[in-house]
Amino acid sequence: MIRSENFLLQEVAGSQVLVPVGAATRDFAGIVTLNSAGVHLWNALEAEQTKEALAKVLTDRYEVSDAQAMADVEKFLQKLTDVGAVK
């Protein structure tokens, strides 16, 4: 997976959010709020990543099991896929 160029990470009122730009504004009229783990995953998606590599991003940074990291990555990617923020 890799992040879409049609979403930008912005700080809004102290929160980190993904904002649609360009063509994405026709399909998604909202924002996606990210926690700190989500920001790290989003930044990792600057280059093509596997689910396993993204899970390692979480286990390297946070005290979380491999299984929990993978579950979190799958949930994160599903949410971003649903809004078109990853491809």
Coordinates of all heavy atoms in Angstrom, one line a residue:
M1 N 0.8 -1.2 0.0 CA 0.0 0.0 0.0 C 0.9 1.2 0.0 O 2.0 1.2 0.5 CB -0.9 0.0 1.2 CG -1.6 -1.2 1.5 SD -3.4 -1.4 1.3 CE -4.1 -0.2 0.4
I2 N 0.3 2.3 -0.5 CA 1.0 3.6 -0.5 C -0.1 4.7 -0.4 O -1.2 4.5 -0.8 CB 1.8 3.8 -1.8 CG1 2.8 5.0 -1.7 CG2 0.9 3.9 -3.0 CD1 3.8 5.1 -2.8
R3 N 0.3 5.8 0.2 CA -0.7 6.8 0.4 C -1.0 7.5 -0.9 O -0.2 7.6 -1.8 CB -0.3 7.8 1.5 CG 1.0 8.6 1.2 CD 1.4 9.4 2.4 NE 2.5 10.3 2.0 CZ 3.2 10.9 2.9 NH1 3.0 10.7 4.2 NH2 4.2 11.7 2.5
S4 N -2.3 8.0 -0.9 CA -2.7 8.8 -2.1 C -2.2 10.2 -2.0 O -2.1 10.8 -1.0 CB -4.3 8.8 -2.1 OG -4.7 9.7 -3.0
E5 N -1.9 10.7 -3.2 CA -1.4 12.1 -3.3 C -2.6 13.1 -3.1 O -2.4 14.3 -3.0 CB -0.7 12.3 -4.6 CG -1.6 12.2 -5.8 CD -1.8 10.7 -6.3 OE1 -1.1 9.8 -5.7 OE2 -2.6 10.5 -7.2
N6 N -3.8 12.5 -3.0 CA -5.0 13.3 -2.9 C -5.5 13.6 -1.4 O -6.6 14.0 -1.2 CB -6.2 12.7 -3.7 CG -6.0 12.8 -5.2 OD1 -5.5 13.8 -5.7 ND2 -6.3 11.7 -5.9
F7 N -4.6 13.2 -0.5 CA -4.8 13.5 0.9 C -3.5 14.1 1.5 O -2.4 13.6 1.3 CB -5.2 12.2 1.7 CG -6.6 11.8 1.5 CD1 -7.0 11.1 0.3 CD2 -7.6 12.1 2.4 CE1 -8.3 10.8 0.1 CE2 -8.9 11.7 2.2 CZ -9.3 11.1 1.0
L8 N -3.7 15.1 2.3 CA -2.6 15.8 3.0 C -2.8 15.7 4.5 O -3.9 15.8 5.0 CB -2.5 17.2 2.6 CG -2.3 17.5 1.1 CD1 -2.3 19.0 0.8 CD2 -1.0 16.9 0.6
L9 N -1.7 15.5 5.2 CA -1.7 15.5 6.6 C -1.5 17.0 7.1 O -0.6 17.7 6.7 CB -0.5 14.7 7.2 CG -0.4 14.6 8.7 CD1 -1.6 13.9 9.3 CD2 0.8 13.8 9.1
Q10 N -2.5 17.5 7.9 CA -2.4 18.8 8.4 C -2.7 18.8 9.9 O -3.4 18.0 10.4 CB -3.5 19.6 7.7 CG -3.4 19.8 6.2 CD -2.3 20.7 5.8 OE1 -2.1 21.7 6.3 NE2 -1.5 20.2 4.8
E11 N -2.2 19.9 10.5 CA -2.6 20.1 11.9 C -3.7 21.1 12.0 O -3.6 22.2 11.4 CB -1.4 20.6 12.7 CG -1.7 20.7 14.2 CD -0.6 21.2 15.1 OE1 0.6 20.9 14.7 OE2 -0.8 21.7 16.1
V12 N -4.8 20.7 12.6 CA -6.0 21.5 12.7 C -6.4 21.5 14.2 O -6.7 20.5 14.8 CB -7.1 21.0 11.9 CG1 -8.4 21.9 12.1 CG2 -6.7 21.0 10.4
A13 N -6.3 22.7 14.8 CA -6.7 22.9 16.2 C -6.0 21.9 17.1 O -6.6 21.3 18.0 CB -8.2 22.8 16.4
G14 N -4.7 21.6 16.9 CA -4.0 20.7 17.7 C -4.1 19.2 17.4 O -3.5 18.4 18.0
S15 N -4.9 18.9 16.4 CA -5.1 17.5 16.0 C -4.5 17.3 14.6 O -4.4 18.2 13.8 CB -6.6 17.2 15.9 OG -7.2 17.2 17.2
Q16 N -4.0 16.1 14.4 CA -3.5 15.7 13.1 C -4.6 15.1 12.3 O -5.2 14.1 12.7 CB -2.3 14.7 13.2 CG -1.1 15.3 14.0 CD -0.4 16.4 13.2 OE1 -0.3 16.3 12.0 NE2 0.0 17.4 13.9
V17 N -4.8 15.7 11.1 CA -6.0 15.2 10.3 C -5.5 15.0 8.8 O -4.6 15.7 8.4 CB -7.2 16.1 10.3 CG1 -7.7 16.2 11.7 CG2 -6.8 17.5 9.8
L18 N -6.2 14.0 8.2 CA -6.0 13.9 6.7 C -7.1 14.7 6.0 O -8.3 14.5 6.4 CB -6.0 12.4 6.3 CG -4.9 11.5 6.8 CD1 -5.2 10.1 6.4 CD2 -3.6 12.0 6.4
V19 N -6.7 15.5 5.1 CA -7.6 16.4 4.4 C -7.6 16.0 2.9 O -6.5 16.0 2.3 CB -7.3 17.9 4.6 CG1 -8.2 18.8 3.9 CG2 -7.2 18.2 6.1
P20 N -8.8 15.8 2.3 CA -8.8 15.5 0.9 C -8.5 16.7 0.1 O -8.9 17.8 0.5 CB -10.2 14.9 0.7 CG -11.0 15.6 1.7 CD -10.1 15.7 2.9
V21 N -7.8 16.6 -1.0 CA -7.6 17.6 -2.0 C -7.8 17.1 -3.4 O -7.9 15.9 -3.6 CB -6.1 18.2 -1.8 CG1 -5.9 18.8 -0.5 CG2 -5.1 17.1 -2.1
G22 N -8.0 18.0 -4.3 CA -8.1 17.6 -5.7 C -9.3 16.7 -5.9 O -10.4 17.0 -5.3
A23 N -9.1 15.7 -6.7 CA -10.2 14.8 -7.0 C -10.9 14.1 -5.8 O -12.1 13.8 -5.9 CB -9.7 13.7 -8.0
A24 N -10.1 14.0 -4.8 CA -10.7 13.3 -3.6 C -11.8 14.0 -2.9 O -12.6 13.4 -2.2 CB -9.5 13.0 -2.6
T25 N -11.9 15.3 -3.1 CA -12.9 16.1 -2.5 C -14.3 15.8 -3.1 O -15.3 16.0 -2.5 CB -12.7 17.6 -2.7 OG1 -12.6 18.0 -4.0 CG2 -11.4 18.0 -1.9
R26 N -14.3 15.2 -4.3 CA -15.6 14.8 -4.9 C -16.1 13.6 -4.2 O -17.4 13.4 -4.1 CB -15.4 14.5 -6.4 CG -15.2 15.8 -7.2 CD -15.2 15.4 -8.7 NE -14.1 14.4 -8.8 CZ -13.2 14.5 -9.8 NH1 -13.2 15.4 -10.7 NH2 -12.2 13.6 -9.9
D27 N -15.2 12.7 -3.8 CA -15.6 11.4 -3.2 C -15.7 11.3 -1.7 O -16.4 10.5 -1.2 CB -14.6 10.3 -3.7 CG -14.6 10.2 -5.2 OD1 -15.7 10.4 -5.8 OD2 -13.5 10.0 -5.8
F28 N -15.0 12.3 -1.1 CA -15.0 12.3 0.4 C -15.0 13.7 0.9 O -14.1 14.4 0.7 CB -13.7 11.5 0.9 CG -13.6 11.4 2.4 CD1 -14.5 10.7 3.1 CD2 -12.6 12.1 3.1 CE1 -14.4 10.6 4.5 CE2 -12.6 12.1 4.5 CZ -13.5 11.3 5.2
A29 N -16.1 14.0 1.6 CA -16.3 15.4 2.0 C -16.1 15.4 3.6 O -17.0 15.8 4.3 CB -17.6 15.9 1.6
G30 N -15.0 15.1 4.0 CA -14.7 15.1 5.5 C -13.2 15.1 5.7 O -12.4 15.4 4.8
I31 N -12.9 14.8 7.0 CA -11.5 14.6 7.3 C -11.3 13.4 8.2 O -12.3 12.8 8.6 CB -11.0 15.8 8.2 CG1 -11.8 16.0 9.5 CG2 -11.0 17.1 7.4 CD1 -11.2 17.0 10.4
V32 N -10.1 12.9 8.3 CA -9.8 11.7 9.1 C -8.8 12.1 10.1 O -7.7 12.6 9.8 CB -9.2 10.6 8.2 CG1 -8.8 9.4 9.1 CG2 -10.1 10.1 7.1
T33 N -9.2 12.0 11.4 CA -8.3 12.4 12.5 C -7.4 11.2 12.8 O -7.8 10.0 12.9 CB -9.1 12.7 13.7 OG1 -10.0 13.8 13.4 CG2 -8.2 13.1 14.9
L34 N -6.1 11.5 13.0 CA -5.1 10.4 13.3 C -4.5 10.6 14.6 O -4.2 11.8 15.0 CB -4.0 10.5 12.2 CG -4.3 10.2 10.8 CD1 -3.1 10.3 9.9 CD2 -5.0 8.9 10.6
N35 N -4.3 9.6 15.4 CA -3.6 9.6 16.6 C -2.1 9.5 16.3 O -1.7 9.5 15.1 CB -4.0 8.5 17.6 CG -3.8 7.1 17.1 OD1 -3.0 6.9 16.1 ND2 -4.5 6.2 17.7
S36 N -1.2 9.5 17.3 CA 0.2 9.5 17.0 C 0.6 8.3 16.2 O 1.5 8.3 15.3 CB 1.0 9.7 18.3 OG 0.8 8.6 19.1
A37 N 0.1 7.1 16.5 CA 0.4 5.9 15.8 C 0.0 6.0 14.3 O 0.7 5.6 13.4 CB -0.3 4.7 16.4
G38 N -1.2 6.6 14.1 CA -1.7 6.8 12.8 C -0.8 7.7 12.0 O -0.6 7.5 10.8
V39 N -0.3 8.8 12.6 CA 0.6 9.7 11.9 C 1.9 8.9 11.5 O 2.4 9.1 10.4 CB 1.0 10.9 12.8 CG1 2.1 11.7 12.3 CG2 -0.3 11.7 13.1
H40 N 2.4 8.1 12.4 CA 3.6 7.3 12.1 C 3.4 6.4 10.9 O 4.2 6.2 10.0 CB 4.1 6.5 13.3 CG 4.7 7.4 14.3 ND1 5.9 8.1 14.1 CD2 4.3 7.7 15.6 CE1 6.2 8.8 15.2 NE2 5.2 8.6 16.1
L41 N 2.2 5.7 10.9 CA 1.8 4.8 9.8 C 1.7 5.6 8.5 O 2.2 5.2 7.4 CB 0.6 4.1 10.1 CG 0.7 3.0 11.2 CD1 -0.6 2.4 11.6 CD2 1.7 1.9 10.9
W42 N 1.0 6.8 8.6 CA 0.8 7.6 7.4 C 2.2 8.0 6.8 O 2.4 8.0 5.6 CB 0.0 8.8 7.7 CG -0.2 9.7 6.5 CD1 0.4 10.9 6.3 CD2 -1.1 9.5 5.4 NE1 0.0 11.5 5.1 CE2 -0.9 10.6 4.6 CE3 -2.0 8.5 5.1 CZ2 -1.7 10.8 3.4 CZ3 -2.7 8.7 3.9 CH2 -2.5 9.7 3.1
N43 N 3.1 8.5 7.7 CA 4.4 8.9 7.2 C 5.1 7.7 6.6 O 5.9 7.9 5.6 CB 5.2 9.5 8.4 CG 4.7 10.8 8.7 OD1 4.0 11.5 7.9 ND2 4.9 11.2 10.0
A44 N 5.0 6.5 7.1 CA 5.6 5.3 6.5 C 5.1 5.0 5.2 O 5.8 4.4 4.3 CB 5.4 4.1 7.5
L45 N 3.8 5.4 4.9 CA 3.2 5.1 3.6 C 3.6 6.1 2.5 O 3.1 6.0 1.4 CB 1.7 5.1 3.8 CG 1.1 4.0 4.5 CD1 -0.4 4.2 4.9 CD2 1.2 2.7 3.6
E46 N 4.6 6.9 2.8 CA 5.2 7.7 1.7 C 5.8 6.8 0.6 O 5.8 7.2 -0.5 CB 6.3 8.7 2.3 CG 6.8 9.6 1.3 CD 7.8 10.6 1.9 OE1 8.1 10.6 3.1 OE2 8.3 11.4 1.1
A47 N 6.3 5.7 1.0 CA 6.8 4.7 0.1 C 5.9 3.4 0.2 O 5.2 3.3 1.2 CB 8.2 4.3 0.4
E48 N 5.9 2.6 -0.8 CA 5.1 1.4 -0.8 C 5.5 0.5 0.4 O 6.6 0.4 0.7 CB 5.4 0.6 -2.1 CG 4.6 -0.6 -2.3 CD 3.1 -0.4 -2.7 OE1 2.9 0.6 -3.4 OE2 2.3 -1.2 -2.4
Q49 N 4.4 0.1 1.1 CA 4.7 -0.7 2.3 C 3.8 -1.9 2.4 O 2.6 -1.9 1.9 CB 4.4 0.1 3.6 CG 5.2 1.3 3.8 CD 6.7 1.0 4.1 OE1 7.0 -0.1 4.7 NE2 7.6 1.9 3.8
T50 N 4.2 -3.0 3.0 CA 3.4 -4.2 3.2 C 2.7 -4.0 4.6 O 3.2 -3.2 5.4 CB 4.2 -5.5 3.2 OG1 5.1 -5.4 4.3 CG2 4.9 -5.7 1.9
K51 N 1.7 -4.8 4.9 CA 1.1 -4.7 6.2 C 2.1 -5.1 7.3 O 2.1 -4.6 8.3 CB -0.1 -5.7 6.2 CG -1.3 -5.2 5.5 CD -2.4 -6.3 5.6 CE -3.6 -5.9 4.7 NZ -4.7 -6.8 4.8
E52 N 3.0 -6.1 6.9 CA 4.0 -6.6 7.9 C 5.0 -5.4 8.2 O 5.4 -5.3 9.4 CB 4.7 -7.8 7.3 CG 3.8 -9.0 7.2 CD 2.9 -9.0 6.0 OE1 3.1 -8.2 5.1 OE2 2.0 -9.8 6.0
A53 N 5.4 -4.7 7.2 CA 6.3 -3.6 7.4 C 5.7 -2.5 8.3 O 6.3 -1.9 9.2 CB 6.8 -3.0 6.1
L54 N 4.4 -2.2 8.1 CA 3.7 -1.2 8.9 C 3.5 -1.7 10.3 O 3.6 -0.9 11.2 CB 2.3 -0.9 8.2 CG 2.4 -0.2 6.9 CD1 1.0 -0.1 6.3 CD2 3.0 1.2 7.1
A55 N 3.2 -3.0 10.5 CA 3.1 -3.5 11.8 C 4.5 -3.4 12.6 O 4.5 -3.1 13.8 CB 2.7 -5.0 11.8
K56 N 5.6 -3.5 11.9 CA 6.9 -3.4 12.5 C 7.1 -1.9 12.9 O 7.7 -1.6 13.9 CB 8.0 -3.8 11.5 CG 9.4 -3.8 12.1 CD 10.3 -4.6 11.5 CE 11.7 -4.6 12.0 NZ 12.0 -4.1 13.3
V57 N 6.6 -1.0 12.1 CA 6.6 0.4 12.5 C 6.0 0.6 13.9 O 6.6 1.3 14.8 CB 5.9 1.3 11.5 CG1 5.7 2.7 12.0 CG2 6.7 1.4 10.2
L58 N 4.9 0.0 14.1 CA 4.2 0.1 15.4 C 5.0 -0.6 16.6 O 5.2 -0.1 17.6 CB 2.8 -0.5 15.4 CG 1.9 0.3 14.5 CD1 0.5 -0.3 14.5 CD2 1.8 1.8 14.9
T59 N 5.5 -1.9 16.3 CA 6.2 -2.6 17.3 C 7.5 -2.0 17.7 O 8.0 -2.1 18.8 CB 6.4 -4.1 17.0 OG1 7.1 -4.2 15.7 CG2 5.0 -4.8 16.8
D60 N 8.2 -1.3 16.7 CA 9.4 -0.6 17.0 C 9.2 0.6 17.8 O 10.1 1.0 18.6 CB 10.1 -0.2 15.6 CG 10.7 -1.4 14.9 OD1 10.8 -2.5 15.5 OD2 11.1 -1.2 13.7
R61 N 8.1 1.2 17.7 CA 7.9 2.5 18.4 C 7.1 2.4 19.7 O 7.2 3.1 20.6 CB 7.1 3.5 17.5 CG 6.9 4.8 18.1 CD 6.9 5.9 17.1 NE 6.8 7.2 17.7 CZ 7.7 8.1 17.9 NH1 8.9 7.8 17.5 NH2 7.5 9.2 18.5
Y62 N 6.2 1.4 19.7 CA 5.3 1.2 20.9 C 5.4 -0.1 21.5 O 5.8 -1.1 20.8 CB 3.8 1.4 20.4 CG 3.6 2.8 19.8 CD1 3.5 2.9 18.4 CD2 3.4 3.9 20.6 CE1 3.3 4.2 17.8 CE2 3.2 5.2 20.0 CZ 3.1 5.3 18.6 OH 2.9 6.5 18.1
E63 N 5.1 -0.3 22.7 CA 5.1 -1.6 23.4 C 3.8 -2.3 23.1 O 2.8 -2.2 23.8 CB 5.2 -1.4 24.9 CG 6.6 -0.9 25.3 CD 6.8 -0.8 26.8 OE1 6.1 -1.5 27.5 OE2 7.7 0.0 27.2
V64 N 3.8 -3.0 22.0 CA 2.6 -3.7 21.5 C 3.0 -5.0 20.9 O 4.1 -5.1 20.3 CB 1.8 -2.8 20.5 CG1 2.7 -2.4 19.3 CG2 0.5 -3.4 20.1
S65 N 2.2 -6.0 21.0 CA 2.5 -7.3 20.5 C 2.4 -7.3 18.9 O 1.7 -6.4 18.3 CB 1.5 -8.4 21.0 OG 0.2 -8.2 20.5
D66 N 3.0 -8.2 18.3 CA 3.0 -8.4 16.9 C 1.5 -8.5 16.4 O 1.1 -7.9 15.4 CB 3.8 -9.6 16.4 CG 5.3 -9.4 16.6 OD1 5.7 -8.2 16.8 OD2 6.0 -10.4 16.5
A67 N 0.8 -9.3 17.1 CA -0.6 -9.6 16.8 C -1.5 -8.3 16.9 O -2.3 -8.0 16.0 CB -1.2 -10.7 17.6
Q68 N -1.3 -7.6 18.0 CA -2.0 -6.3 18.1 C -1.6 -5.3 17.1 O -2.5 -4.6 16.5 CB -1.8 -5.7 19.5 CG -2.7 -4.5 19.8 CD -4.2 -4.8 19.7 OE1 -4.7 -5.6 20.4 NE2 -4.9 -4.1 18.8
A69 N -0.3 -5.2 16.8 CA 0.1 -4.3 15.7 C -0.5 -4.6 14.4 O -1.0 -3.7 13.7 CB 1.6 -4.3 15.7
M70 N -0.6 -5.9 14.0 CA -1.1 -6.3 12.8 C -2.6 -6.0 12.7 O -3.2 -5.5 11.7 CB -0.9 -7.8 12.5 CG -1.4 -8.2 11.1 SD -0.7 -7.3 9.7 CE 0.9 -8.1 9.6
A71 N -3.3 -6.2 13.8 CA -4.8 -5.9 13.9 C -5.0 -4.4 13.8 O -5.9 -3.9 13.0 CB -5.4 -6.4 15.2
D72 N -4.1 -3.6 14.4 CA -4.2 -2.1 14.3 C -4.0 -1.7 12.9 O -4.7 -0.8 12.3 CB -3.3 -1.4 15.3 CG -3.7 -1.6 16.7 OD1 -4.9 -2.1 17.0 OD2 -2.9 -1.4 17.6
V73 N -3.0 -2.2 12.2 CA -2.6 -1.9 10.9 C -3.8 -2.2 9.9 O -4.2 -1.4 9.1 CB -1.3 -2.6 10.4 CG1 -1.2 -2.5 8.9 CG2 -0.1 -1.9 11.1
E74 N -4.4 -3.4 10.1 CA -5.5 -3.8 9.2 C -6.7 -2.8 9.4 O -7.3 -2.4 8.4 CB -5.8 -5.2 9.5 CG -4.8 -6.2 8.9 CD -5.1 -7.6 9.2 OE1 -6.0 -8.0 10.0 OE2 -4.3 -8.5 8.6
K75 N -7.0 -2.5 10.6 CA -8.1 -1.5 10.9 C -7.8 -0.2 10.3 O -8.6 0.5 9.6 CB -8.3 -1.4 12.4 CG -9.5 -0.6 12.7 CD -9.7 -0.6 14.3 CE -10.8 0.4 14.7 NZ -11.0 0.4 16.1
F76 N -6.5 0.3 10.4 CA -6.1 1.6 9.9 C -6.2 1.6 8.4 O -6.8 2.5 7.8 CB -4.7 1.8 10.4 CG -4.0 3.1 9.8 CD1 -4.3 4.3 10.4 CD2 -3.1 3.0 8.8 CE1 -3.7 5.5 9.9 CE2 -2.5 4.2 8.3 CZ -2.8 5.4 8.9
L77 N -5.7 0.6 7.7 CA -5.7 0.5 6.3 C -7.1 0.4 5.7 O -7.4 1.0 4.7 CB -4.8 -0.6 5.8 CG -3.3 -0.5 6.0 CD1 -2.6 -1.7 5.5 CD2 -2.8 0.8 5.2
Q78 N -8.0 -0.3 6.4 CA -9.3 -0.5 6.0 C -10.0 0.9 6.0 O -10.7 1.3 5.0 CB -10.1 -1.4 6.8 CG -11.5 -1.7 6.3 CD -11.5 -2.2 4.9 OE1 -10.9 -3.3 4.6 NE2 -12.2 -1.6 4.0
K79 N -9.8 1.7 7.1 CA -10.4 3.0 7.2 C -9.9 3.9 6.0 O -10.7 4.6 5.4 CB -10.1 3.6 8.5 CG -10.7 4.9 8.8 CD -10.6 5.4 10.2 CE -11.3 6.7 10.4 NZ -11.3 7.1 11.8
L80 N -8.6 3.8 5.8 CA -8.0 4.7 4.7 C -8.4 4.2 3.4 O -8.6 5.1 2.5 CB -6.5 4.8 4.9 CG -6.0 5.4 6.1 CD1 -4.5 5.6 6.0 CD2 -6.6 6.8 6.4
T81 N -8.6 2.9 3.2 CA -9.1 2.4 1.9 C -10.5 2.9 1.6 O -10.8 3.3 0.5 CB -9.0 0.9 1.9 OG1 -7.6 0.5 2.0 CG2 -9.5 0.3 0.6
D82 N -11.3 2.8 2.7 CA -12.7 3.2 2.5 C -12.9 4.7 2.1 O -13.8 5.0 1.3 CB -13.5 3.0 3.9 CG -13.7 1.6 4.3 OD1 -13.4 0.7 3.4 OD2 -14.0 1.4 5.4
V83 N -12.0 5.5 2.5 CA -12.1 6.9 2.0 C -11.2 7.3 0.8 O -11.2 8.4 0.4 CB -11.8 7.9 3.2 CG1 -12.8 7.7 4.3 CG2 -10.3 7.8 3.7
G84 N -10.4 6.3 0.4 CA -9.6 6.5 -0.8 C -8.2 7.2 -0.5 O -7.6 7.7 -1.4
A85 N -7.8 7.1 0.8 CA -6.5 7.7 1.1 C -5.3 6.9 0.9 O -4.2 7.3 1.0 CB -6.6 8.2 2.6
V86 N -5.5 5.6 0.6 CA -4.4 4.7 0.2 C -4.7 3.9 -1.0 O -5.9 3.8 -1.4 CB -4.0 3.7 1.4 CG1 -3.5 4.4 2.6 CG2 -5.2 2.8 1.7
K87 N -3.7 3.5 -1.7 CA -3.9 2.7 -2.9 C -3.0 1.6 -3.0 O -2.0 1.5 -2.2 CB -3.8 3.6 -4.2 CG -2.6 4.5 -4.2 CD -2.7 5.4 -5.4 CE -1.4 6.3 -5.3 NZ -1.4 7.3 -6.4

